[in-house]
Amino acid sequence: MTQSVPEPPGEGVPAIVPPVELQSGYYLPSDSNPAIAHPALSVPTNSNSTIQTLQVLIIEDSEDDVLLITRELQRGGYLLTYRRVDSRQEMNAALEEQSWDLVIADYNLPHFDAINALRLLQEKALDIPFIIVSGSIGEDTAVAAMKAGAHDYLMKNNLARLVPAVERELREAQERRKRREAEQTLRDSEEWFRSLIENALDIITVLDEAGIIRYVSPSVERVLGYKPEDLVGQVAFDYAHPNDARRILSAFKKAIQSPNQRVSGEFQFRHRDGSWRVLEAVGRQFAESARVYRLVINARDITERKQAEETRKALQKEKELNDLKSRFISMVSHEFRTPLSVIVLSTRLLERFHTVAPEEKQLLYLDRIQAAAKRMTQLLDDVLFLGKTELGKQEFNPSPLELVQFCQDLVEEMQLTISSGHKIHFVCQETSISAWMDEVLLRHIFTNLLSNAIKYSPVNQLIHFELIRQQNWATFRVQDQGIGIPEADRQQLFQSFHRGSNVGKIPGTGLGLAIVYQSVRLHHGTISVESQVEAGTTFTVCLPLYNGPIEEAKKPGEGKGREGKDREE
């Protein structure tokens, strides 16, 4: 049976009036209109405070006791919707029909009691504050009820405790509800992430501080052939390729000790069938607790991609070799044709006119033959030199050398053969610099650089050649005011048979700078270039004075200023 107890108008404690039969019971503030009362509304009182709505299920067989309880709750500022039940069937129906904020139960009823009411609530898995209000209950019985799940108990002759108890239990129920919602949200999130991980194409792995696999996602079976349980408990490094194991271990130690650092890399991992798969991985540390650290690794199989890259590189290499072969054939056919033509023509002239031609003419023809033969020999020597260096068979024979004297002699020799009016100006602030270098290779370096400076500069121009000692290094600079090297051509500056795009009809083989670079490399030195089109070019060569096991020179293009493309003869 449901009842409504309206509050009489006026100040003070509301009076109890006879019950009226209604679907639900309400307590209203003194100035409210019963016609508009609603359990879901908070109705302001005369003092501008807010009355809280409260839906209460009361398990009680005494109407008078119900009125006492509801009056106490109304006095505490609650706008009530309540229902009284006194049997299991009625309580079950009430729980099915709507939700309740609070259950208040008498301990003993003729056909029902608080313990059975509590059990029914628990059977339905409802977390509703359950308070026992009894006229007579022993301490042991109350303790047993609390252990069974009741939230509080109090005596009917001490209802002053009711409102504080209700406030406390409603507050705690709300906290439990929020906690359940947060836990459910967390479970949903965990389930979502677990579903994401378990269906991901990448392999998700968790390692402990010893490198033991604590978790691996199911995708590992598709990628590597192992079931997750085959790998959990195993040391991850045992499956890495021996060539990668030390590097992986170093990266792991770095990551597990650095909470904010992400590490990445590629390594080979053994497949269940014994083959090796290339994995690309990213790892980061996370703290499972204050003292327990884990490393989470996201890895994907890039074996096919690496194989495709290797195939592409092989095809590119083959293309480069074919291009090199074509350039070589083109260069040989062009460069050999001219001296061969000179030799053939000169020998025919000697053969036809040797009886009538003056001796001076015959000597001129012989000089032409010798010059052509020398040019062909030099070309073959250059090709053989590069072939030996690429095969690692070019000899490096350093010996004591006085660099200032070497440079002066070289400039004097070259100046005698220059017919274009160019002047080579050699500068060195020191009179003597002792070194331990290969003189033959030095001649290759600076003969080619100085010849290029002359060849690609206008006639009668000055070529600057400078030598500086810097601690244990000798720095050489060759500077011209010639046609320069275009930016787009510099990437292939030191490749064999490659010439600049702006050389026009200036003759050349494209071998000179390739020989320069290989000679510098054999000296464990470096070479760099600075150039501006139509303004000139400066080559800087740095060589250790005393050659030993010094780190090899960086290739041009690996650092600032080390770039370019051959415009050489």
Side-chain angles (χ1 to χ4, degrees):
M1 181 174 66
T2 58
Q3 297 181 346
S4 174
V5 184
E7 178 189 18
E11 301 287 338
V13 180
I16 301 175
V17 298
V20 180
E21 297 293 331
L22 293 173
Q23 178 63 28
S24 295
Y26 298 91
Y27 270 138
L28 302 175
S30 59
D31 59 347
S32 298
N33 186 347
I36 61 172
H38 193 282
L41 296 176
S42 294
V43 182
T45 65
N46 292 330
S47 61
N48 294 324
S49 63
T50 301
I51 293 182
Q52 295 176 292
T53 61
L54 187 65
Q55 301 185 82
V56 186
L57 182 60
I58 302 176
I59 304 169
E60 178 63 71
D61 61 344
S62 170
E63 294 286 356
D64 292 340
D65 288 346
V66 170
L67 293 177
L68 289 171
I69 292 171
T70 55
R71 187 181 69 173
E72 193 66 31
L73 291 173
Q74 186 267 349
R75 180 184 293 173
Y78 291 103
L79 178 63
L80 299 180
T81 298
Y82 73 91
R83 177 177 295 184
R84 183 185 68 81
V85 299
D86 58 7
S87 69
R88 179 183 176 88
Q89 292 77 12
E90 289 181 353
M91 179 179 177
N92 187 65
L95 294 174
E96 292 290 340
E97 289 174 9
Q98 70 176 85
S99 60
W100 300 94
D101 299 320
L102 176 67
V103 177
I104 297 178
D106 192 356
Y107 188 79
N108 286 310
L109 287 80
H111 306 293
F112 203 32
D113 59 33
I115 297 301
N116 284 311
L118 184 59
R119 288 173 182 166
L120 177 59
L121 205 63
Q122 293 169 343
E123 288 172 7
K124 292 182 174 293
L126 296 173
D127 183 12
I128 303 174
F130 190 95
I131 298 176
I132 297 174
V133 179
S134 180
S136 59
I137 181 174
E139 184 176 344
D140 292 341
T141 303
V143 171
M146 296 289 286
K147 288 182 178 180
H151 294 95
D152 204 349
Y153 73 93
L154 51 96
M155 306 302 292
K156 290 182 179 179
N157 60 5
N158 189 20
L159 288 181
R161 286 189 55 233
L162 179 60
V163 171
V166 169
E167 290 176 345
R168 183 188 67 248
E169 295 306 327
L170 290 176
R171 184 171 58 252
E172 292 182 0
Q174 184 178 21
E175 291 174 356
R176 291 196 299 274
R177 182 167 57 253
K178 290 181 178 179
R179 186 163 56 248
R180 285 195 302 273
E181 290 173 354
E183 290 171 352
Q184 184 61 44
T185 300
L186 180 60
R187 284 193 295 270
D188 292 344
S189 177
E190 289 176 347
E191 184 62 30
W192 185 83
F193 278 108
R194 180 174 294 277
S195 176
L196 185 67
I197 289 173
E198 291 182 351
N199 293 281
L201 297 177
D202 293 353
I203 303 172
I204 311 298
T205 308
V206 178
L207 305 182
D208 66 13
E209 294 175 279
I212 296 174
I213 300 173
R214 295 305 178 186
Y215 171 83
V216 63
S217 62
S219 55
V220 70
E221 184 171 6
R222 179 184 57 80
V223 177
L224 296 171
Y226 301 99
K227 293 183 181 298
E229 54 268 25
D230 296 338
L231 294 177
V232 173
Q234 302 297 316
V235 178
F237 311 119
D238 292 345
Y239 294 83
H241 194 281
N243 293 343
D244 300 328
R246 180 176 296 180
R247 177 170 50 83
I248 294 173
L249 182 58
S250 175
F252 169 78
K253 290 179 178 178
K254 182 179 180 181
I256 203 71
Q257 296 170 1
S258 307
N260 297 319
Q261 183 156 351
R262 190 183 74 164
V263 294
S264 60
E266 298 176 4
F267 58 92
Q268 296 181 78
F269 199 94
R270 188 170 67 248
H271 192 280
R272 187 180 181 87
D273 63 10
S275 63
W276 296 98
R277 307 295 292 181
V278 182
L279 300 183
E280 181 182 59
V282 176
R284 191 162 190 165
Q285 181 226 79
F286 79 98
E288 191 172 90
S289 65
R291 296 185 179 180
V292 178
Y293 298 99
R294 297 284 188 258
L295 186 68
V296 179
I297 301 172
N298 186 332
R300 64 181 54 180
D301 186 1
I302 60 169
T303 306
E304 283 72 23
R305 190 178 83 190
K306 297 295 288 187
Q307 291 172 346
E309 288 177 0
E310 292 300 323
T311 301
R312 182 185 58 79
K313 289 179 181 178
L315 292 173
Q316 181 64 26
K317 185 66 175 177
E318 184 177 354
K319 181 178 181 298
E320 291 174 357
L321 289 174
N322 289 333
D323 291 344
L324 182 63
K325 188 186 299 182
S326 298
R327 291 198 299 268
F328 175 74
I329 293 173
S330 175
M331 182 273 299
V332 169
S333 63
H334 179 271
E335 295 298 323
F336 273 57
R337 183 180 293 115
T338 301
L340 282 174
S341 298
V342 171
I343 292 173
V344 170
L345 179 60
S346 298
T347 53
R348 284 179 179 176
L349 290 172
L350 284 173
E351 183 180 12
R352 179 176 298 184
F353 301 108
H354 70 282
T355 57
V356 295
E359 184 178 355
E360 299 83 30
K361 272 289 189 190
Q362 295 185 40
L363 291 174
L364 176 62
Y365 295 150
L366 288 174
D367 287 342
R368 289 177 179 174
I369 292 172
Q370 291 176 351
K374 184 178 180 181
R375 182 175 178 183
M376 293 174 63
T377 301
Q378 182 63 49
L379 180 60
L380 290 174
D381 287 343
D382 289 347
V383 172
L384 290 173
F385 178 89
L386 291 174
K388 285 183 178 180
T389 55
E390 290 181 1
L391 293 173
K393 295 182 178 180
Q394 177 61 44
E395 294 182 356
F396 176 58
N397 299 311
S399 60
L401 184 65
E402 208 292 300
L403 289 183
V404 177
Q405 188 64 49
F406 166 81
C407 292
Q408 291 173 341
D409 292 344
L410 180 63
V411 169
E412 185 176 345
E413 292 171 13
M414 294 191 68
Q415 197 69 60
L416 292 174
T417 62
I418 296 174
S419 59
S420 56
H422 290 87
K423 297 293 184 182
I424 302 174
H425 179 59
F426 173 69
V427 176
C428 182
Q429 299 299 323
E430 302 186 45
T431 57
S432 176
I433 299 177
S434 298
W436 190 273
M437 298 182 185
D438 189 319
E439 183 175 356
V440 174
L441 296 182
L442 282 186
R443 284 188 172 273
H444 280 305
I445 295 172
F446 298 110
T447 299
N448 278 293
L449 290 179
L450 291 170
S451 296
N452 278 0
I454 295 169
K455 183 190 300 184
Y456 296 106
S457 297
V459 296
N460 300 319
Q461 290 290 321
L462 187 66
I463 307 300
H464 294 276
F465 183 25
E466 183 180 13
L467 169 61
I468 302 173
R469 173 159 55 187
Q470 296 175 313
Q471 296 181 348
N472 293 324
W473 288 76
T475 300
F476 303 83
R477 289 192 181 92
V478 177
Q479 183 180 16
D480 64 52
Q481 299 174 3
I483 64 175
I485 304 171
E487 182 75 24
D489 290 336
R490 297 179 194 175
Q491 290 300 318
Q492 302 178 67
L493 180 62
F494 297 97
Q495 288 188 4
S496 301
F497 307 112
H498 207 105
R499 306 191 70 209
S501 59
N502 62 334
V503 298
K505 295 183 179 181
I506 301 174
T509 62
L511 295 176
L513 288 181
I515 292 173
V516 169
Y517 172 72
Q518 294 297 341
S519 299
V520 170
R521 187 183 65 82
L522 289 169
H523 272 91
H524 310 293
T526 64
I527 182 170
S528 62
V529 60
E530 296 177 4
S531 185
Q532 186 175 350
V533 175
E534 302 302 336
T537 300
T538 300
F539 281 93
T540 302
V541 177
C542 297
L543 303 177
L545 289 172
Y546 304 100
N547 261 276
I550 303 175
E551 180 184 358
E552 283 197 4
K554 291 183 178 179
K555 273 193 175 184
E558 293 181 350
K560 183 177 180 181
R562 291 168 171 79
E563 54 188 2
K565 173 180 177 181
D566 194 359
R567 49 150 192 160
E568 166 55 4
E569 56 185 5

